[in-house]
């Protein structure tokens, strides 16, 4: 799990707060670099002992030429640029992988709030939906994390953990046999969506919007699982990783020779001597510490699903998701504390909140120009113009419920006469109604707004009011059209029923006449 040290660096004092972190071993630079550092120092001293005590004078000249060559041209490797750009990509990728891991908490809140029912069947639905969601994420983690794969190497271990049933495992195995090329992590999510749809049909979910919200949350969870698969299959380009690795190791192989102490006179007359490196390569070691540590950071963070100290704690994540999901949808379903008045009920809101110690109370933040000295600024005083002066007391308007009721629009339907016959249905409206005066009133308001000098806010308010009245008129007209259609349909159905009744009577009369004629003939 990622080592957290936030509490230790919360406050910075004196010489800084990072010094106390240098003594840590777990997830430290010393732990990941000490083997490479020992190999570098061993190689350096081997070359130093070889030059000082083993080589002959003629061979020493060749060794000295190699040292001068590596010292001159080793700095041509753009190590800082290549390594820095690569590590920045890896760190961004590491954080994006963490925020991509889906959490079931939002879906659990949806399920607990929207899937109703205190009976056993409703409880079974809620728990099964969340179990399927947690199972889907666990199946994805077994595909990308060696740690989780060792914990759940087969479906039997998932059955033992209670995340999968035997019949469900058989269904997944059958699908693996038919389609072995594709992962089946999405199957539990499909089962969960089917249960949600079934709950809607049974009336346990109130409306279709609630159903859509839950389906969207399931799709979001599936998208997170799918993105984790993409991060696992699509890595940082291999050629870039090879370039960075070769650059770092080639640079320090050249440093093993280029930073050696040699006893040689240069062309300028001075001697090529470095007394410090004769005993210990101090700055070479620091350089190795920084650049190789930088590379080790990239190696550690490139796959955060492994066994490194800074990798994600996925076992804890699996356990936590299942426990919290069951807690939300089962233990806390339709449950909340008793509603009581808060201690600021009579005050509406508190002026100051209490502190454990009054010395902790700090001043409220101020704007940047709150204490700006304005005495040196030359101000120009002008006589106020009475024509443009504003009396706030006169312009202030108190709005109450009566004003709101006066501004409400009352729609009255015009008188109408319904006349029906066997061939048609007609509806006549009276012209003397409130609709004939609306356009005139709106026109008068427009002329009044043009004549009077009102600001843009008042004009916008009037335009909105006119639009509201127009919409209400259109709605009233649509209502009348619907009523007209219903009345016409009802009248036509009545006329049709009357015609059918007349036809049946005519047929009955004809049959009676035929019976009478037959009797007379007999």
């Amino acid at each position: 799990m990622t080592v957290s040290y936030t509490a230790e660096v919360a406050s910075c004092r004196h010489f800084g707060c990072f010094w106390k972190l240098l003594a840590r071993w777990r997830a430290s630079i010393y732990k990941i670099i000490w083997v490479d550092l020992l190999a570098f120092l061993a190689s350096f001293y081997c070359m130093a002992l070889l030059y000082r005590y083993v080589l002959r004078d003629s061979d020493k000249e060749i060794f000295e030429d190699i040292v001068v060559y590596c010292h001159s041209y080793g700095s041509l490797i753009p190590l800082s640029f290549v390594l820095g750009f690569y590590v920045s990509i890896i760190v961004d990728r590491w954080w994006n992988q963490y925020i991509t891991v889906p959490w079931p908490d939002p879906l659990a809140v949806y399920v607990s709030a929207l899937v109703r029912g205190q009976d056993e069947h409703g409880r079974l639905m809620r728990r099964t939906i969340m179990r399927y969601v947690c199972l889907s994420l666990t199946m994805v983690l077994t595909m990308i994390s060696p740690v989780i794969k060792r914990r759940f190497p087969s479906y039997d271990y998932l059955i033992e953990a209670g995340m999968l049933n035997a019949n469900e495992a058989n269904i997944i195995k059958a699908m693996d046999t038919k389609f072995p090329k594709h992962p089946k992590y999405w199957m539990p999510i499909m089962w969960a969506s089917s249960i949600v749809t079934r709950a809607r049909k049974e009336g346990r979910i109130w409306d279709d919007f609630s159903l859509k919200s839950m389906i969207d949350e399931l799709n979001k969870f599936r998208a997170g699982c799918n993105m984790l698969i993409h991060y696992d299959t699509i890595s940082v380009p291999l050629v870039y990783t090879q370039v960075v690795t070769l650059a770092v190791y080639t640079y320090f192989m050249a440093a093993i020779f280029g930073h050696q102490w040699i006893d040689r006179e240069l062309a300028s007359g001075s001697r090529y001597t470095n007394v410090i490196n004769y005993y210990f390569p101090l700055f070479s070691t620091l350089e190795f510490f920084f650049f190789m540590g930088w590379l080790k950071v990239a190696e550690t963070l490139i796959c955060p699903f492994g066994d490194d100290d800074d990798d994600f704690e996925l076992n804890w994540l699996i356990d936590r998701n299942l426990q919290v999901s069951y807690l939300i949808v089962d233990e806390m379903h339709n449950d909340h504390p008793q509603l009581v008045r808060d201690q600021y009920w009579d005050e509406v809101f508190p002026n100051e909140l209490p502190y454990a110690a009054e010395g902790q109370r700090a001043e409220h933040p101020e704007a940047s120009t709150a204490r700006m000295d304005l005495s040196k600024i030359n101000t120009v005083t002008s006589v106020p113009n009475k024509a443009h002066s504003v009396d706030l007391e006169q312009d202030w308007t108190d709005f109450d419920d009566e004003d709101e009721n006066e501004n409400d629009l009352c729609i009255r339907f015009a008188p109408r006469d319904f006349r029906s016959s066997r061939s048609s249905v007609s509806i006549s409206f009276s012209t003397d109604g409130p609709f004939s005066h609306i356009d005139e009133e709106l026109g008068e308001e427009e002329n009044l707004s043009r004549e009077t000098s009102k600001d843009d806010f008042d004009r916008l308010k009037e335009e909105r009011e006119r639009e509201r009245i127009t919409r209400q008129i259109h709605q009233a007209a649509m209502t009348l059209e619907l009523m007209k259609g219903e009345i016409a349909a009802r009248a036509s159905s009545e006329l049709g029923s009357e015609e059918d009744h007349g036809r049946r009577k005519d047929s009955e009369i004809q049959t009676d006449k035929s019976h009478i004629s037959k009797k007379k003939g007999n």
Side-chain angles (χ1 to χ4, degrees):
M1 186 175 182
T2 302
V3 178
S4 178
Y5 52 87
T6 307
E8 299 182 18
V9 297
S11 300
C12 180
R13 297 184 180 91
H14 305 298
F15 293 102
C17 54
F18 287 167
W19 292 101
K20 63 182 74 174
L21 303 177
L22 298 179
R24 287 195 173 193
W25 173 256
R26 184 171 179 265
S28 64
I29 186 64
Y30 323 113
K31 184 177 180 180
I32 63 176
I33 207 176
W34 70 272
V35 177
D36 299 89
L37 182 60
L38 287 180
F40 173 75
L41 293 177
S43 302
F44 186 88
Y45 281 111
C46 287
M47 294 297 103
L49 295 175
L50 180 65
Y51 170 73
R52 299 170 193 174
Y53 304 107
V54 178
L55 296 180
R56 297 173 297 180
D57 294 339
S58 58
D59 297 331
K60 286 183 179 181
E61 294 179 359
I62 300 175
F63 187 86
E64 291 170 358
D65 292 337
I66 296 174
V67 169
V68 173
Y69 179 80
C70 293
H71 182 76
S72 302
Y73 295 99
S75 59
L76 296 179
I77 300 176
L79 189 59
S80 300
F81 172 75
V82 175
L83 192 57
F85 190 66
Y86 181 76
V87 173
S88 65
I89 293 176
I90 296 299
V91 172
D92 291 340
R93 177 185 173 88
W94 169 77
W95 179 248
N96 290 333
Q97 289 182 76
Y98 177 74
I99 63 177
T100 302
V101 176
W103 296 79
D105 299 24
L107 179 62
V109 173
Y110 274 114
V111 172
S112 179
L114 301 180
V115 181
R116 299 177 298 172
Q118 299 290 343
D119 56 342
E120 183 179 357
H121 187 64
R123 180 189 178 193
L124 180 62
M125 278 187 169
R126 291 190 294 270
R127 291 176 65 92
T128 305
I129 290 172
M130 298 314 302
R131 180 171 63 85
Y132 284 157
V133 170
C134 296
L135 173 63
S136 177
L137 179 60
T138 306
M139 294 175 65
V140 171
L141 294 179
T142 55
M143 300 169 56
I144 65 177
S145 174
V147 179
I148 306 303
K149 186 64 176 179
R150 288 194 296 267
R151 181 181 178 182
F152 303 109
S154 62
Y155 294 125
D156 297 334
Y157 290 88
L158 291 173
I159 296 174
E160 183 180 356
M163 304 184 68
L164 187 66
N165 294 333
N167 59 336
E168 298 166 352
N170 293 331
I171 295 174
I172 297 177
K173 290 178 182 178
M175 291 294 292
D176 287 335
T177 304
K178 291 182 180 179
F179 307 98
K181 295 182 179 181
H182 304 287
K184 307 301 183 299
Y185 68 91
W186 43 266
M187 290 184 63
I189 296 181
M190 295 300 301
W191 295 341
S193 63
S194 300
I195 295 175
V196 171
T197 307
R198 179 180 175 183
R200 175 70 180 101
K201 292 180 180 179
E202 293 179 359
R204 296 182 182 272
I205 299 177
W206 288 353
D207 49 19
D208 293 335
F209 182 77
S210 301
L211 174 65
K212 181 181 180 301
S213 300
M214 297 178 66
I215 296 297
D216 291 342
E217 197 63 34
L218 284 171
N219 285 328
K220 188 185 300 183
F221 194 91
R222 186 212 60 82
C225 295
N226 192 27
M227 186 59 66
L228 290 177
I229 298 293
H230 291 333
Y231 273 117
D232 180 68
T233 55
I234 302 176
S235 304
V236 178
L238 178 62
V239 61
Y240 198 6
T241 305
Q242 291 176 342
V243 167
V244 172
T245 305
L246 289 175
V248 173
Y249 282 95
T250 303
Y251 179 83
F252 287 107
M253 286 179 63
I256 291 174
F257 292 94
H259 295 178
Q260 291 286 341
W261 174 87
I262 56 175
D263 187 9
R264 185 175 185 177
E265 185 177 353
L266 299 177
S268 60
S270 60
R271 302 192 65 83
Y272 190 88
T273 57
N274 193 342
V275 180
I276 302 299
N277 282 0
Y278 183 86
Y279 298 100
F280 182 77
L282 178 59
F283 281 94
S284 300
T285 303
L286 293 176
E287 193 176 31
F288 184 88
F289 213 85
F290 301 145
F291 285 113
M292 187 59 67
W294 217 353
L295 180 63
K296 292 297 180 180
V297 168
E299 292 178 358
T300 303
L301 301 183
I302 193 171
C303 181
F305 304 110
D307 294 323
D308 296 327
D309 292 336
D310 274 319
D311 288 341
F312 305 148
E313 189 59 42
L314 300 178
N315 283 316
W316 168 84
L317 180 67
I318 293 173
D319 299 341
R320 180 260 174 206
N321 285 346
L322 189 63
Q323 294 169 358
V324 173
S325 298
Y326 282 164
L327 181 64
I328 293 176
V329 302
D330 195 359
E331 182 69 21
M332 300 182 64
H333 176 64
N334 284 345
D335 188 16
H336 61 82
Q338 183 181 0
L339 296 177
V340 295
R341 293 184 177 183
D342 57 85
Q343 60 182 354
Y344 305 108
W345 179 268
D346 296 330
E347 302 177 13
V348 182
F349 64 92
N351 292 326
E352 292 289 344
L353 295 178
Y355 285 78
E358 288 299 325
Q360 299 177 356
R361 190 183 299 275
E363 296 181 358
H364 295 287
E366 295 181 350
S368 301
T369 59
R371 300 185 180 183
M372 184 177 176
D373 187 9
L374 302 178
S375 60
K376 298 181 180 180
I377 300 178
N378 296 325
T379 59
V380 179
T381 59
S382 59
V383 178
N385 190 359
K386 295 182 178 180
H388 298 282
S389 62
V390 179
D391 190 358
L392 297 179
E393 294 181 356
Q394 294 179 359
D395 290 348
W396 180 265
T397 304
D398 293 333
F399 293 96
D400 52 6
D401 296 337
E402 295 180 358
D403 295 335
E404 294 179 357
N405 294 330
E406 291 178 359
N407 294 329
D408 289 341
L409 176 65
C410 297
I411 299 178
R412 298 179 180 178
F413 295 100
R416 53 187 179 276
D417 299 329
F418 300 96
R419 298 177 182 177
S420 61
S421 62
R422 289 181 175 271
S423 59
S424 63
V425 177
S426 63
I427 302 177
S428 61
F429 297 92
S430 176
T431 57
D432 297 333
F435 297 105
S436 60
H437 303 287
I438 293 176
D439 295 336
E440 298 177 0
E441 294 177 357
L442 294 178
E444 292 177 358
E445 291 182 357
E446 290 179 357
N447 295 329
L448 182 61
S449 63
R450 292 173 182 173
E451 294 175 357
T452 59
S453 59
K454 296 183 179 180
D455 57 2
D456 294 338
F457 179 78
D458 294 335
R459 294 176 183 174
L460 180 62
K461 185 177 179 180
E462 292 177 357
E463 291 178 1
R464 295 291 175 84
E465 185 68 19
R466 287 195 294 271
E467 291 177 358
R468 186 178 67 84
I469 296 174
T470 304
R471 287 196 300 268
Q472 292 182 355
I473 293 173
H474 290 169
Q475 291 177 0
M478 292 176 62
T479 304
L480 291 177
E481 292 295 333
L482 292 175
M483 293 176 62
K484 185 195 299 183
E486 292 179 357
I487 293 172
R490 188 181 303 170
S492 61
S493 63
E494 291 178 357
L495 292 176
S497 62
E498 291 178 359
E499 291 178 356
D500 293 339
H501 184 67
R503 291 173 183 173
R504 282 196 296 271
K505 284 186 176 181
D506 294 338
S507 62
E508 290 177 358
I509 293 171
Q510 292 294 332
T511 53
D512 293 338
K513 289 182 179 180
S514 62
H515 287 305
I516 293 172
S517 61
K518 287 181 181 180
K519 289 180 180 180
K520 289 181 178 181
N522 294 330

